[in-house]
């Protein structure tokens, strides 16, 4: 790789940090945890004031899916499109992919391993039977291949969204040179590309290809986030961003009306629209709340929250269900999520990030020393 191929990230770009997205990440993490918490109480037919409050205060006024299904996922995917596009502007393709891999993989491996061990020890946090989860299933979950195997043995249900993000990362890395010269081209090209892939893979007899087509149906969410980022940075006009975004939104509506999104509910377009509006509103937001240490630290841990929350809550709920009041059960569940999140962030996520940045710094210093020599 040439000396100019990788551009180091400098502290000078810190002023472009979108502080409002930290708050949006917190909102997204709360929505995901609340959705799966309420879903557990519905499955076990337990009364909880939080279930009825969510229904009357959020679901009905906004006309979204029951238990806010898909809202948190939609927020995370749109925000991921914003953030990935923002960092791609100052990272070379190789550096971009390395950092995304280090961001996703170490924590995924750690949580998958803990989930597999917990399942084998009898902690029932998913629909998978302990006997069905062999060592091969452990490794297939670590590389996200379990979704393409029949019958699937999924240890962490929410990791299906990581497949979508990996596909988007690959697309962004491949189009970084174009994204810097003609930023409107990659998101524009992605809309017909998604349409063609979904159309050509729908109802195929090959399960893996059909699965890919189903996942591609969510890719427009990240592309819409990319457009929000480009408009925010003034690389494209709001009119162009809205027009291309409408094309991606049309793909989402088309998939929803013709084929439906499996298990996501009946209000996908409306829920996505709310996620987009929240992103547009908060991407420019600044102030004491967004910049507070509490929000920043929480935002850094939202990926860990996303992966561990069911593993932390469900076994505890199963254990204490007959003995503890519902409200106390929720409090204990949320505390367990916070504790497991902190462990994973401190001992897996943060060290991996420090390691890749340290490696990049040494690599850059050796390259500069070679040029001087």
């Amino acid at each position: 790789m040439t000396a100019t191929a990788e551009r180091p990230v400098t502290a000078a770009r810190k002023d472009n940090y979108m502080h409002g997205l930290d708050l949006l990440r917190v909102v997204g993490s709360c929505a995901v945890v609340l959705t799966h918490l309420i879903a557990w109480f519905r499955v076990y037919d337990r009364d909880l004031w939080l279930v009825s409050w969510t229904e009357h205060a959020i679901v009905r006024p906004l006309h979204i899916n029951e238990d806010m299904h898909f809202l948190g996922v939609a927020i995370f995917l749109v925000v991921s499109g914003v953030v990935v596009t923002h960092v791609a502007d100052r990272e070379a393709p190789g550096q971009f992919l390395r950092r995304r891999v280090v961001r996703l993989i170490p924590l995924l491996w750690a949580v998958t391993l803990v989930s597999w061990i917990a399942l084998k020890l009898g902690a029932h946090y998913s629909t998978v039977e302990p006997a069905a989860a062999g060592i091969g299933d452990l490794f297939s979950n670590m590389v996200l291949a379990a979704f393409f195997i029949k019958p699937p043995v999924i240890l962490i249900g929410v990791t299906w969204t990581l497949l979508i993000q990996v596909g988007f990362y690959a697309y962004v890395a491949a189009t970084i040179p174009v994204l810097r010269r003609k930023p409107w081209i990659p998101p524009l090209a992605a809309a017909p590309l998604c349409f063609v892939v979904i159309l050509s893979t729908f109802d195929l007899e090959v399960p893996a290809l059909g699965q890919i087509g189903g996942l591609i149906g969510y890719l427009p969410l990240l592309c819409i986030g990319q457009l929000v980022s480009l408009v925010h940075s003034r690389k494209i006009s709001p009119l162009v961003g809205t027009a291309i975004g409408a094309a991606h939104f049309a793909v989402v509506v088309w998939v929803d009306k013709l084929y439906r999104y499996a298990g996501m509910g009946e209000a996908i377009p409306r829920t996505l629209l709310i996620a987009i509006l929240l992103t547009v509103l908060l991407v420019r937001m600044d102030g004491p709340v967004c910049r507070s240490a509490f929000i920043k630290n929480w935002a850094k841990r939202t990926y860990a929250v996303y992966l561990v929350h069911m593993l932390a809550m469900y076994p505890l709920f199963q254990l204490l269900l007959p003995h503890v009041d519902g409200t106390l059960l929720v409090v204990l569940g949320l505390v367990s999520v916070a504790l497991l999140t902190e462990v994973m962030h401190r001992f897996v996520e943060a060290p991996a990030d420090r390691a890749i940045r340290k490696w990049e710094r040494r690599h850059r210093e050796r390259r500069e020393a070679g040029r001087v020599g």
Side-chain angles (χ1 to χ4, degrees), residues 8-22:
V9 181
T10 62
R13 303 300 296 269
K14 292 276 188 173
D15 56 340
N16 291 328
Y17 188 82
M18 293 174 280
H19 297 278
L21 291 187
D22 284 344

Side-chain angles (χ1 to χ4, degrees), residues 9-316:
V9 181
T10 62
R13 303 300 296 269
K14 292 276 188 173
D15 56 340
N16 291 328
Y17 188 82
M18 293 174 280
H19 297 278
L21 291 187
D22 284 344
L23 182 58
L24 191 56
R25 285 193 187 101
V26 171
V27 172
S29 67
C30 289
V32 168
V33 173
L34 185 58
T35 292
H36 291 130
L37 189 154
I38 292 174
W40 188 91
F41 276 86
R42 285 194 186 277
V43 167
Y44 287 91
D45 196 25
R46 287 291 302 269
D47 292 330
L48 181 68
W49 62 269
L50 190 59
V51 176
S52 57
W53 179 86
T54 304
E55 177 71 20
H56 291 90
I58 301 176
V59 172
R60 289 185 183 177
L62 297 178
H63 300 283
I64 59 177
N65 293 324
E66 185 182 53
D67 301 340
M68 302 193 306
H69 275 296
F70 188 65
L71 178 60
V73 169
I75 290 173
F76 274 132
L77 291 178
V78 174
V79 169
S80 181
V82 177
V83 174
V84 165
T85 303
H86 180 68
V87 299
D89 184 51
R90 59 181 190 261
E91 294 177 355
Q95 183 187 38
F96 172 84
L97 285 176
R98 277 198 308 272
R99 289 191 172 185
R100 303 295 79 73
V101 167
V102 171
R103 168 69 173 155
L104 291 183
I105 297 301
L107 190 60
L108 171 65
W109 285 359
V111 177
T112 302
L113 179 59
V114 172
S115 299
W116 184 80
I117 294 172
L119 185 65
K120 286 297 187 180
L121 293 176
H124 298 287
Y125 67 94
S126 72
T127 57
V128 176
E129 290 296 327
I135 191 71
D137 296 306
L138 169 63
F139 288 115
S140 67
N141 276 267
M142 283 183 166
V143 297
L144 302 176
F147 293 95
F148 304 100
I149 299 173
K150 297 295 181 181
V153 177
I154 310 300
L155 297 176
I156 310 173
V158 296
T159 51
W160 65 271
T161 60
L162 301 186
L163 287 166
I164 305 167
Q165 296 201 56
V166 168
F168 184 69
Y169 295 162
Y171 183 75
V172 170
T175 58
I176 278 178
V178 181
L179 195 62
R180 288 173 181 165
R181 296 185 183 93
K182 302 286 184 179
W184 55 272
I185 291 180
L188 178 62
L193 182 62
C194 290
F195 178 82
V196 170
V197 172
I198 295 167
L199 190 63
S200 59
T201 56
F202 178 74
D203 245 2
L204 286 179
E205 294 182 0
V206 182
L209 293 178
Q211 186 78 347
I212 291 173
L215 292 170
I216 292 295
Y218 294 93
L219 196 60
L221 279 68
L222 290 111
C223 295
I224 290 172
Q226 182 175 62
L227 290 163
V228 172
S229 179
L230 293 173
V231 171
H232 174 75
S233 59
R234 299 181 181 178
K235 293 184 177 180
I236 62 175
S237 69
L239 182 61
V240 170
T242 302
I244 301 175
H248 282 286
F249 194 84
V251 172
V252 173
V253 174
W254 171 67
V255 176
D256 181 64
K257 296 305 178 185
L258 294 182
Y259 309 132
R260 295 293 179 189
Y261 291 90
M264 285 289 128
E266 301 291 323
I268 294 294
R270 186 182 297 111
T271 305
L272 172 57
L273 183 59
I274 291 172
I276 295 170
L277 293 175
L278 279 173
T279 305
V280 171
L281 177 66
L282 293 181
V283 72
R284 294 183 178 276
M285 187 173 178
D286 202 347
V289 174
C290 297
R291 290 177 176 264
S292 68
F294 177 75
I295 294 296
K296 283 187 174 297
N297 288 326
W298 189 336
K300 290 178 182 177
R301 292 158 173 78
T302 49
Y303 177 46
V305 171
Y306 188 70
L307 290 185
V308 310
H309 67 280
M310 287 189 287
L311 173 62
M313 289 192 302
Y314 287 179
L316 186 67

